[in-house]
Amino acid sequence: MTASSPSAAPQEIDLEEFETKHRSGPWVNRFVFTLSIFLAVAHIYINTIATLPELWISAFHFAGFGTLCALLIPANPKWRDSKIAMLCDSAIVLALVGMVFYIIFFEDALYARGVTFNNADWLVSSVTVLLSLELIRRTSGWFIPLLIIIALTYVVLWGKWLSGMFAFPGLSLETLLYRSFFSTDGMFGSISRISWSFVFMFILFGAFLVKSGAGDFIIDLSRSLASKMIGGPGFVAVLGSGLMGSVSGSSVANTVSTGVITIPLMRKAGFPARFAAGVEAAASTGGQLMPPVMGAGAFIMASYTQVSYVTIISVAAIPALLYFLSVGFFVRVEAKRSKVIATESDDAVNISQVFKSGWHHIVPLAVLVTLLVQGFTPTYAAGISILAVIAASFLSSKHRMGPAAVLDAMAQGAKNMSTTAVLLVGIGLVVNVISTTGVGNTFSLLISNWAGGSLLFTIILVAIASLILGMGLPVTASYIVLGTLSAPALFNLIAEGQLLDMMASGSLPDAANAIFMLVDPSAIASLAQGMPMEQAEALLAQVPADFKSMLMDQALGTQSVAMILVTAHMIIFWLSQDSNVTPPVCLTAFAAAAIAKTPPMLTGLTAWKLAKGLYIIPLMMAYTPLIGGDTATLLHLTFFGIFGMYALVAAMEGYLEDKLSIYSRLIALIAAAMMLWPNLDLWIQCIGLAAFLVLFVIGNKSYKKNM
């Protein structure tokens, strides 16, 4: 904590307690530190001025961070002090280094032979795939390696034994290894490129911010803004975790770094311990929804949708705001119920003191946003912003970053990246199988069939799938897999829904009508004046699949179609977060429970309840233009969305400003539906708002009367 924060020093919480036990030792620590700095410098060079083949860079990226994982994480935690295990891991390091040199010096020879493998090609490609499985197993458990094995064997072995829509004739093992290892579609493909460029540079940027003292500034700023509010410590957790999450790529790290301060503050103020832990877990999960980093999701989404990174983070801002407000409403309700009024006076933090001692931390973020808005690439903007962190630190007398601090930040950023790097490279193997076999389109068709063409049921199926995947996959990996499989289905349903509305209302442009002229000339008159929804659905079903994308572009516009694609991916990305707070596997909630000393599973259930925005807001994205709408529409949706979420929280908790009767809870639920339900008339939403405000005023008077 800074000098402006006089509270006692937070308890020490080891992040490795919730992740993986690392090997340590004098020479290991020195070597890892040196290698981490080398990797950081090399990646900065690669992302700024280097012009090397992407395959070489991806191989180097995997080998470098794979080396860190092999040295830091033994095959079995019990072997951390074993010299034999270290010898085996050293052999893995040599194999990774040899793999890089093999690609550099022998890739051309492969093509000279007509892409026919020799013994060395077989050996190097097979060993590299196996090493990726082992390194992922060490860092993330068995689930992802098993998923990769199932995917690879589907291509060469058991896919041809299936019947029906998932039958696949199969590829030879040589073809599979070529596509997995040498091709830019496999483990060294687009996902790896995102890893060594966008993800690494922003994780490094975050490491420099933390080293410069920005974490303390964020907590102090949150306390100064929220300490005087009802339930202030809870709002400190919401604000602090949201701001910290905007530059952090890990919900667990966010929970630990802010929770050691916010959870004791909440408990001291009178919040129940389990609720305090749940608030921190839910808020820290939302940190991955907060621009600009979004837990690497923004970069992957930009790559998948071909929509600019700046656009992605700009449309993600309002949904993220709604999520944090929804958690904040739970905080206020519980504060009223538990008679939590404000923090103790000795915990107060003066906002002028906070800005006086830490205003310079805003400079790098301002530089980052300015460069992004001006059109510079995210990697370039992150690189310049890192320099801005160093320069801005000299505006403070306490956090000046000299050479030692810069080297420490580089090393910490590289170590933070190691598990993410090997994970993303390995997930590229699954993505390659999905694209090679066409199973993604098949899965999308299957979801559409199961849902019967219903967008709501499709979202429910995606939510269930994301929860199941999230039990074994980290959030980013879960989003990559699920986005590849189900985004086309969501996109088609949302786009077709908007197209059907235009057909029913008779508002199709002439260019779109011309396509229907080829399908059913007799329907043109009905299209001009509108038609029943059933007739519109039947007419759209006659349009050949090859013409549908053209029809959507003509009817909705290219920009709208792009925003619908972003909406589909944003929905999946949001739903992928629920594994952080949903039992039985909810690592973020478990980390918060360890700090609060509460039962992990019950804490997970509390966090799951507080994170209901993870489900409500994606529905708003699907049925309203919350993503990509014009300014007036966004203001309208945000205004009623805020009050609608508050009313929903009141209905769930049975408490607003005071305890609600069963009839009042029902009114609150109806009011929430009237404000949140899509496409209702303004007067209906206003009635819902008025009903909620009446409940609020009555409850406030009752609360004051009983004080």
Side-chain angles (χ1 to χ4, degrees):
M1 298 292 290
T2 63
S4 63
S5 181
S7 59
Q11 65 188 96
E12 291 294 329
I13 297 293
D14 186 4
L15 183 57
E16 293 181 13
E17 179 182 346
F18 310 106
E19 293 183 339
T20 309
K21 303 297 183 183
H22 285 181
R23 178 190 277 130
S24 62
W27 80 266
V28 172
N29 293 340
R30 286 194 296 269
F31 183 82
V32 166
F33 182 78
T34 304
L35 177 60
S36 298
I37 294 172
F38 168 73
L39 289 174
V41 173
H43 278 74
I44 292 172
Y45 168 73
I46 287 168
N47 283 294
T48 52
I49 59 177
T51 55
L52 299 172
E54 290 186 358
L55 184 64
W56 296 9
I57 297 174
S58 295
F60 167 77
H61 175 73
F62 174 63
F65 290 109
T67 296
L68 287 181
C69 290
L71 294 178
L72 290 173
I73 307 171
N76 188 313
K78 298 178 181 178
W79 300 345
R80 279 187 293 171
D81 300 322
S82 169
K83 294 182 179 179
I84 296 177
M86 174 56 77
L87 186 63
C88 293
D89 290 338
S90 299
I92 290 177
V93 171
L94 293 176
L96 290 170
V97 173
M99 176 269 297
V100 178
F101 284 107
Y102 189 84
I103 282 184
I104 293 174
F105 292 108
F106 294 99
E107 181 192 8
D108 290 341
L110 172 68
Y111 294 108
R113 293 191 303 271
V115 199
T116 301
F117 272 28
N118 61 17
N119 291 335
D121 295 329
W122 280 101
L123 177 64
V124 174
S125 59
S126 301
V127 168
T128 303
V129 171
L130 291 175
L131 286 179
S132 72
L133 296 178
E134 168 59 15
L135 292 172
I136 293 172
R137 183 198 65 80
R138 295 187 186 193
T139 57
S140 305
W142 277 103
F143 187 93
I144 303 175
L146 289 176
L147 179 65
I148 295 173
I149 291 171
I150 291 171
L152 296 178
T153 53
Y154 169 73
V155 175
V156 298
L157 185 61
W158 56 272
K160 54 191 170 188
W161 299 343
L162 298 179
S163 59
M165 58 196 312
F166 283 106
F168 182 69
L171 297 175
S172 67
L173 182 58
E174 181 181 24
T175 301
L176 176 63
L177 286 175
Y178 167 76
R179 292 184 64 89
S180 299
F181 182 69
F182 287 102
S183 169
T184 54
D185 296 324
M187 60 190 301
F188 299 143
S190 60
I191 304 300
S192 176
R193 182 174 64 253
I194 294 169
S195 179
W196 56 254
S197 57
F198 304 129
V199 178
F200 175 80
M201 291 299 290
F202 274 85
I203 285 182
L204 186 63
F205 174 58
F208 270 84
L209 278 177
V210 171
K211 190 66 178 178
S212 71
D216 291 340
F217 171 70
I218 287 172
I219 294 297
D220 288 347
L221 178 62
S222 301
R223 292 178 63 194
S224 66
L225 292 173
S227 60
K228 300 301 182 182
M229 301 170 63
I230 294 177
F235 285 103
V236 170
V238 175
L239 285 172
S241 297
L243 292 172
M244 188 72 76
S246 67
V247 296
S248 170
S250 169
S251 294
V252 175
N254 197 357
T255 300
V256 174
S257 60
T258 58
V260 293
I261 299 171
T262 59
I263 291 176
L265 277 177
M266 283 187 277
R267 294 191 63 181
K268 183 179 180 181
F271 282 107
R274 183 150 58 95
F275 180 84
V279 167
E280 181 57 48
S284 294
T285 296
Q288 293 210 346
L289 307 173
M290 176 68 75
V293 178
M294 297 171 61
F299 312 118
I300 297 169
M301 201 178 300
S303 176
Y304 275 178
T305 61
Q306 296 301 299
V307 173
S308 72
Y309 167 80
V310 175
T311 301
I312 296 290
I313 62 175
S314 63
V315 300
I318 289 179
L321 172 66
L322 289 175
Y323 175 82
F324 283 105
L325 284 173
S326 71
V327 179
F329 296 145
F330 278 106
V331 170
R332 179 181 171 88
V333 165
E334 184 60 38
K336 285 278 190 175
R337 182 160 47 198
S338 301
K339 303 296 189 290
V340 176
I341 303 301
T343 56
E344 298 293 334
S345 59
D346 61 350
D347 283 334
V349 183
N350 188 287
I351 191 169
S352 62
Q353 291 179 340
V354 173
F355 273 105
K356 183 179 179 180
S357 63
W359 66 271
H360 60 280
H361 293 298
I362 300 175
V363 174
L365 295 175
V367 170
L368 176 67
V369 172
T370 301
L371 291 174
L372 290 173
V373 171
Q374 292 297 318
F376 291 95
T377 65
T379 52
Y380 179 84
I384 297 300
S385 299
I386 289 172
L387 296 178
V389 173
I390 300 172
S393 71
F394 283 89
L395 299 174
S396 167
S397 59
K398 298 178 180 179
H399 295 102
R400 291 178 179 175
M401 296 187 68
V406 170
L407 293 178
D408 284 342
M410 284 185 174
Q412 190 59 51
K415 284 189 283 189
N416 291 346
M417 181 67 194
S418 57
T419 56
T420 302
V422 297
L423 172 64
L424 292 180
V425 170
I427 285 296
L429 292 168
V430 178
V431 174
N432 177 44
V433 169
I434 292 172
S435 61
T436 298
T437 61
V439 74
N441 292 332
T442 303
F443 189 81
S444 293
L445 290 173
L446 187 63
I447 287 179
S448 298
N449 290 336
W450 283 351
S454 167
L455 179 57
L456 176 61
F457 283 116
T458 300
I459 294 175
I460 292 173
L461 289 174
V462 172
I464 294 172
S466 72
L467 179 58
I468 295 172
L469 283 176
M471 292 180 185
L473 289 175
V475 167
T476 304
S478 179
Y479 161 62
I480 292 172
V481 174
L482 202 58
T484 306
L485 290 172
S486 57
L490 271 178
F491 166 77
N492 287 332
L493 287 173
I494 296 173
E496 288 182 8
Q498 295 187 16
L499 183 59
L500 288 170
D501 289 339
M502 297 179 71
M503 294 169 63
S505 62
S507 57
L508 275 179
D510 292 338
N513 283 330
I515 295 177
F516 282 109
M517 177 74 74
L518 301 174
V519 176
D520 186 0
S522 63
I524 297 301
S526 300
L527 282 171
Q529 56 187 343
M531 59 176 62
M533 185 61 72
E534 295 79 6
Q535 185 180 350
E537 291 174 352
L539 181 59
L540 183 59
Q542 299 179 45
V543 178
D546 295 341
F547 283 88
K548 275 193 177 179
S549 60
M550 184 188 306
L551 175 61
M552 291 176 184
D553 286 340
Q554 295 288 353
L556 304 174
T558 304
Q559 181 65 25
S560 294
V561 169
M563 285 299 101
I564 293 172
L565 183 58
V566 171
T567 299
H569 278 272
M570 195 72 74
I571 290 171
I572 295 168
F573 181 68
W574 272 63
L575 294 176
S576 297
Q577 309 295 322
D578 66 348
S579 61
N580 280 320
V581 291
T582 307
V585 180
C586 43
L587 198 58
T588 301
F590 290 168
I595 298 171
K597 295 180 172 55
T598 54
M601 204 61 68
L602 293 177
T603 303
L605 290 172
T606 301
W608 179 66
K609 179 186 73 172
L610 299 177
K612 279 297 172 286
L614 289 177
Y615 308 100
I616 304 299
I617 296 169
L619 290 175
M620 293 178 64
M621 296 179 193
Y623 289 99
T624 69
L626 188 62
I627 301 293
D630 58 64
T631 302
T633 301
L634 289 177
L635 289 174
H636 175 93
L637 291 172
T638 303
F639 177 80
F640 284 103
I642 289 172
F643 287 101
M645 292 295 294
Y646 201 170
L648 182 62
V649 169
M652 291 175 60
E653 293 291 279
Y655 202 100
L656 188 51
E657 293 295 278
D658 203 353
K659 186 175 181 180
L660 295 177
S661 67
I662 185 66
Y663 300 108
S664 296
R665 291 182 73 172
L666 182 60
I667 292 173
L669 181 61
I670 294 173
M674 294 172 75
M675 288 185 280
L676 294 175
W677 201 271
N679 303 320
L680 290 181
D681 291 336
L682 178 61
W683 65 271
I684 297 178
Q685 293 179 307
C686 289
I687 291 176
L689 176 61
F692 168 75
L693 292 177
V694 169
L695 289 177
F696 185 91
V697 171
I698 293 174
N700 186 263
K701 290 182 178 179
S702 175
Y703 181 84
K704 290 180 178 179
K705 182 179 179 181
N706 295 326
M707 282 292 290

